[in-house]
Amino acid sequence: MRPRWIALLSASVAVLVGVMTWVAIVAGMSVGNALGGLGREHAEALPEFAATDVFSVSADGTLTPRPDGRSSRVWSELLRVTTPEFAASTITEYQTGDDPDSDTLAYVETADDPTKWVFAANLAYDGDRDLLLVTLIHEYAHMLSLGEDDTDPSAIGCDTEWAGSGCLLPDSDLQRFADRFWAGYTDAPARDNVDADTAWDFYEAHEEDFVSDYAATNVSEDFAETFAAYVVEPDVDATDSVVARKFSFFDALPEYASARERIRAEFHLEWRTGQ
């Protein structure tokens, strides 16, 4: 099984800066090499939904066959988050299932072409629009931070984080985030951690440093959770908190800062920013 990112629902809800809540937990099947900090795999798989419909993504972002109903709506919401151009150039396949007994809400996994992605959604949860939006932004952050220009697929031994196929480049956004915000911890979870209890213990020790307990799982989930909060939550007042510095980190990256403003405008999130 190829490595994957998965955003899951859980019984324990992560609170983002007191305004919006969502749950995101990573799981996946063990696939060999340990993943340094990226959380793409797990020794035991949590329940996943079965994909019952598969759609190919064309060069203009349209799907074959043409989806209808909830499959169409979720894809449309994803295009609003990522833009049709990004989806068409980055995602090769869209999968959907409908399993209310599964905790998995959505995930992205590497495609046969390791520079591309497969996006899958569990339609059982599509009715919660806030949860869907935050999950799509979270998954978008994973795709943005593990793009073709962020990794060296030929590398075997990593001085940087292992990216599932090769190593993160030293100047990649995710590696710089790791160097800036995780290198100083002496009690951080293992680089490949996906265990919720381990994440909770680390979160309790450094609660003010994270937007949610799930963000304390590993570097990549911190990156994705923080970016989602950066988009949907009000701007943080000028403080010296770690969360504020993480938001400033995204402010300094034009790709992420412009994505925030575009998504806020697209989904009319001005009320979250006090505008």
Side-chain angles (χ1 to χ4, degrees):
M1 183 178 294
R2 293 185 297 275
R4 63 181 55 185
W5 295 110
I6 303 176
L8 300 179
L9 291 175
S10 168
S12 60
V13 176
V15 180
L16 291 185
V17 200
V19 177
M20 192 170 195
T21 64
W22 81 83
V23 188
I25 295 183
V26 165
M29 296 296 291
S30 177
V31 290
N33 289 325
L35 297 179
L38 298 186
R40 285 195 172 195
E41 57 190 59
H42 191 274
E44 296 180 2
L46 293 179
E48 298 176 11
F49 64 91
T52 56
D53 293 289
V54 178
F55 308 91
S56 297
V57 183
S58 68
D60 63 359
T62 58
L63 300 175
T64 304
R66 184 175 179 177
D68 57 16
R70 291 178 295 165
S71 292
S72 177
R73 190 183 78 79
V74 171
W75 180 252
S76 295
E77 294 296 281
L78 179 68
L79 295 185
R80 292 176 70 192
V81 169
T82 67
T83 76
E85 295 76 17
F86 179 91
S89 64
T90 307
I91 302 172
T92 62
E93 191 173 278
Y94 170 46
Q95 302 177 358
T96 62
D98 186 353
D99 185 359
D101 293 326
S102 171
D103 287 334
T104 304
L105 176 61
Y107 63 81
V108 292
E109 66 178 0
T110 52
D112 291 334
D113 177 349
T115 68
K116 308 294 184 181
W117 296 95
V118 173
F119 172 76
N122 186 348
L123 302 180
Y125 298 106
D126 83 302
D128 188 330
R129 301 197 67 176
D130 281 346
L131 178 62
L132 177 62
L133 173 59
V134 175
T135 301
L136 295 177
I137 297 170
H138 179 106
E139 299 300 331
Y140 182 37
H142 286 320
M143 291 186 282
L144 283 175
S145 60
L146 286 170
E148 187 175 3
D149 297 331
D150 299 304
T151 64
D152 177 3
S154 65
I156 299 175
C158 296
D159 293 327
T160 60
E161 301 290 333
W162 174 250
S165 177
C167 304
L168 282 177
L169 296 175
D171 61 349
S172 65
D173 297 329
L174 183 54
Q175 183 61 47
R176 292 193 293 111
F177 185 91
D179 292 340
R180 184 172 303 182
F181 298 112
W182 280 67
Y185 294 117
T186 60
D187 58 342
R191 296 170 68 193
D192 59 348
N193 177 64
V194 293
D195 180 72
D197 290 335
T198 300
W200 177 256
D201 290 341
F202 183 52
Y203 174 74
E204 281 198 313
H206 306 280
E207 183 173 353
E208 298 303 317
D209 293 355
F210 298 98
V211 298
S212 71
D213 60 305
Y214 178 62
T217 303
N218 58 50
V219 169
S220 188
E221 295 313 317
D222 188 18
F223 187 98
E225 287 280 273
T226 304
F227 178 68
Y230 170 74
V231 173
V232 304
E233 294 300 330
D235 296 330
V236 175
D237 293 334
T239 69
D240 192 37
S241 72
V242 173
V243 169
R245 293 200 296 273
K246 289 175 180 177
F247 280 20
S248 295
F249 176 88
F250 289 116
D251 274 335
L253 299 175
E255 182 177 28
Y256 294 87
S258 63
R260 177 186 65 168
E261 296 312 309
R262 176 181 54 76
I263 295 168
R264 283 179 168 182
E266 176 67 27
F267 289 90
H268 306 293
L269 301 180
E270 291 84 0
W271 66 271
R272 297 193 192 282
T273 67
Q275 298 176 7

